[in-house]
Amino acid sequence: MNTALHWFRRDFRVTDNTALASACGLADAVIGVFVLDTRWFHASAAKMGAFQAAFWLAAIAELRENLGGLNISLRIIQTDDPVAALLSLAREVRAGAITFNREYEPAQIAQDQRLIQTAEKSGLSELKIYGYCDAVIFEEFDVLTANETPYTVFTPYKRSWLAKFSAAAMVSRGRPRMMQQSGQPQEASVVPAAKSLGFPAVTLDIPTGESGGRRMLAEFGRQRIGLYKQRRDFPAEAGVSRLSAHLSAGTISIRQCVSAAVAAGAMNGCGGAECWLSELIWREFYRMVLFHFPHTVTRPFHRKFDTVTWENNPALLAAWLGACTGYPIVDAALLQIQTTGWMHNRLRMIAAMFLTKDLDIHWRTGEQWFMRWLMDYDQASNVGGWQWSAGTGTDAAPYFRVMNPILQARRFDPKGAFVRRLIPALARVPDDFVHEPWLMPPLMQAQFGCRIGQDYPPPVVDHGAARVKAIRKFQ
């Protein structure tokens, strides 16, 4: 075979890239292709945020350079029809194959199927199209119950995943060989600027690209993974890996992460490494749930909750979106995502449960809003997390779980270090009141520069009353 196309999607790396390595083994020349689908990779589409766009574009720029070192060109195509664009390029360069790494989102699965079907109907029957397992360790039919049905509860899924797992299977695909031919015609593709796609300029607070992911994983493995279990829930501390954006963009592989966890003792009793591996397994669990139950993108996992109604009060939604709920831990979480494109995982649960249980707003509203802000947006994890928080997801008795934002704040930000960092009005408030500033007497409010209703808003709802109402609704 003379030329193969590799379709980059969420695998912006050259090392340990299953489909790219296969393409290099199939053909004499390989052309990398990134199809910038304007139906979602554009600010006007409201399906991708500025932080994720900036992170991806930086990753693609580095990818282009790394591919150039292997004599592989990268073609960047802007279109609203990726299938037509790929097949047109395949005809142009007389490609014998298209390779890609499989994804598990309903829309991506449908698009992959359309690519295969359209190629057959377009007189390209000899064009081979290969999809590979790369984004997960185990795919949709690898980890099933004894009845060969998909797991719908995490703990038994995790046990089965671990029983099937073998560290010996975590062999990296390595770096592809240098190609002898460049795949003509070779055109220099310019990585578009975020501004040209309608996105505002943002500042990213983590290293980007394949090199950035590799550095961050190495640093986490050396310095912090051992204490991950003890420190991961405290947003003021650097206790988490921050690798979620790299996993989402595929600038680092899941195998590299799992291998790092195993090397740090995940299978030998190291609490931190074992806990981090569990989080990686959660990621796979949500992907398999989305694959087997695609209705969860828009509807409750448990169909019995289809009839649940939501008040969707516009004023309460505006308070949440504007970080003006009067609950410091919730407001600080929302300010974090708006200034960095990332939100600490503990805060995601608190903010999501507050929106759905305290404010009685549909989880889809929050899920869509996170989609437009998160640098690490991933449909399976985001939908799964929001449904878990809303009480409609993969849990046995979800409606009883209503997090108290004040107790959560006291437990995981005891001195208010995190909320003070994000909310200047709380900078001088004593520790006893930092998570409930409305309880300060008026004179104290004036003394510490946090007058409720002027410097900081009062609570928009009473949590105790909202909790009772939410439980009754689900019952």
Side-chain angles (χ1 to χ4, degrees):
M1 186 183 297
N2 187 43
T3 301
L5 304 181
H6 173 66
W7 182 13
F8 285 98
R9 286 112 69 98
R10 288 176 174 262
D11 57 335
F12 304 137
R13 65 184 186 279
V14 298
T15 302
D16 197 26
N17 185 320
T18 306
L20 177 62
S22 177
C24 293
L26 286 170
D28 300 318
V30 173
I31 299 174
V33 185
F34 175 68
V35 182
L36 196 156
D37 189 339
T38 53
R39 294 172 301 176
W40 59 271
F41 203 141
H42 197 284
S44 62
K47 293 184 178 181
M48 173 180 263
F51 287 99
Q52 188 169 49
F55 189 85
W56 279 35
L57 292 172
I60 293 166
E62 181 177 322
L63 174 67
R64 184 184 61 176
E65 298 303 314
N66 290 341
L67 289 171
L70 298 171
N71 205 21
I72 299 173
S73 62
L74 178 65
R75 299 281 287 270
I76 300 173
I77 305 170
Q78 292 191 43
T79 180
D80 61 358
D81 190 347
V83 168
L86 281 165
L87 295 181
S88 175
L89 180 59
R91 288 192 190 92
E92 177 189 338
V93 301
R94 298 181 181 179
I98 297 175
T99 66
F100 59 80
N101 290 311
R102 286 191 289 269
E103 293 291 339
Y104 308 92
E105 300 172 357
Q108 189 63 66
I109 293 170
Q111 184 164 258
D112 294 348
Q113 292 172 343
R114 190 166 76 88
L115 173 64
I116 295 169
Q117 293 165 0
T118 305
E120 292 175 349
K121 295 176 182 178
S122 303
L124 293 170
S125 57
E126 294 188 4
L127 176 67
K128 306 299 182 183
I129 299 175
Y130 302 102
Y132 296 86
C133 173
D134 182 79
V136 294
I137 303 300
F138 298 120
E139 289 194 293
E140 57 270 20
F141 301 113
D142 292 337
V143 180
L144 298 173
T145 68
N147 296 325
E148 297 191 347
T149 58
Y151 283 99
T152 58
V153 178
F154 174 70
T155 301
Y157 173 84
K158 175 184 171 181
R159 283 198 297 265
S160 186
W161 192 102
L162 289 170
K164 190 177 181 67
F165 174 78
S166 170
M170 292 296 98
V171 178
S172 171
R173 277 64 171 165
R175 189 177 176 87
R177 65 185 177 90
M178 167 76 76
M179 304 307 294
Q180 299 304 309
Q181 299 181 28
S182 60
Q184 297 298 327
Q186 183 174 359
E187 298 178 2
S189 284
V190 176
V191 179
K195 183 178 180 180
S196 70
L197 300 171
F199 295 105
V202 294
T203 300
L204 303 179
D205 66 346
I206 61 172
T208 60
E210 183 176 357
S211 62
R214 191 163 52 243
R215 291 199 308 273
M216 288 180 65
L217 178 60
E219 185 271 337
F220 178 63
R222 283 195 312 270
Q223 301 180 17
R224 292 181 285 119
I225 194 170
L227 295 175
Y228 176 77
K229 185 175 183 179
Q230 296 97 312
R231 300 174 62 189
R232 70 189 182 111
D233 283 315
F234 296 86
E237 299 184 21
V240 296
S241 72
R242 285 297 309 270
L243 283 164
S244 54
H246 285 284
L247 277 166
S248 175
T251 42
I252 198 163
S253 77
I254 184 62
R255 288 172 299 280
Q256 289 170 304
C257 291
V258 170
S259 295
V262 172
M267 313 301 286
N268 300 311
C270 175
E274 182 180 5
C275 186
W276 192 55
L277 177 60
S278 183
E279 292 302 307
L280 297 175
I281 299 173
W282 265 109
R283 176 179 175 273
E284 300 213 352
F285 173 67
Y286 277 145
R287 273 170 168 68
M288 298 307 104
V289 168
L290 185 61
F291 176 88
H292 289 288
F293 306 97
H295 72 275
T296 57
V297 171
T298 57
R299 296 170 56 197
F301 173 82
H302 291 291
R303 299 294 182 91
K304 63 184 178 182
F305 294 130
D306 276 343
T307 58
V308 170
T309 59
W310 306 82
E311 287 189 1
N312 295 321
N313 184 306
L316 294 180
L317 175 60
W320 188 85
L321 295 174
C324 296
T325 68
Y327 287 86
I329 195 69
V330 175
D331 294 337
L334 294 164
L335 290 170
Q336 183 182 46
I337 195 175
Q338 293 175 48
T339 54
T340 68
W342 180 77
M343 186 186 289
H344 188 279
N345 188 59
R346 171 60 56 174
L347 301 181
R348 296 187 199 204
M349 292 187 284
I350 295 170
M353 197 165 288
F354 188 83
L355 181 71
T356 55
K357 297 291 181 64
D358 288 68
L359 303 186
D360 201 12
I361 291 171
H362 200 299
W363 63 268
R364 278 282 290 162
T365 301
E367 195 276 333
Q368 293 286 291
W369 193 79
F370 269 26
M371 177 179 69
R372 293 190 287 273
W373 278 100
L374 285 174
M375 176 168 47
D376 61 9
Y377 177 76
D378 172 282
Q379 187 178 58
S381 295
N382 204 45
V383 167
W386 272 95
Q387 290 230 32
W388 184 92
S389 297
T392 61
T394 56
D395 288 278
Y399 57 82
F400 290 118
R401 186 191 300 113
V402 182
M403 286 181 175
N404 183 321
I406 298 168
L407 296 182
Q408 289 284 310
R410 287 176 179 167
R411 181 178 178 184
F412 297 115
D413 191 29
K415 297 291 185 180
F418 176 76
V419 299
R420 295 180 203 279
R421 187 186 305 163
L422 276 295
I423 305 174
L426 300 174
R428 297 168 51 218
V429 173
D431 294 352
D432 291 345
F433 295 101
V434 70
H435 296 303
E436 298 174 279
W438 60 88
L439 295 182
M440 286 190 297
L443 288 178
M444 186 177 287
Q445 293 180 25
Q447 177 185 357
F448 294 109
C450 185
R451 293 163 296 179
I452 301 302
Q454 297 182 51
D455 303 305
Y456 187 69
V460 291
V461 293
D462 175 78
H463 170 72
R467 176 184 178 276
V468 171
K469 181 180 176 182
I471 292 175
R472 285 177 177 170
K473 178 177 82 167
F474 277 88
Q475 286 175 331

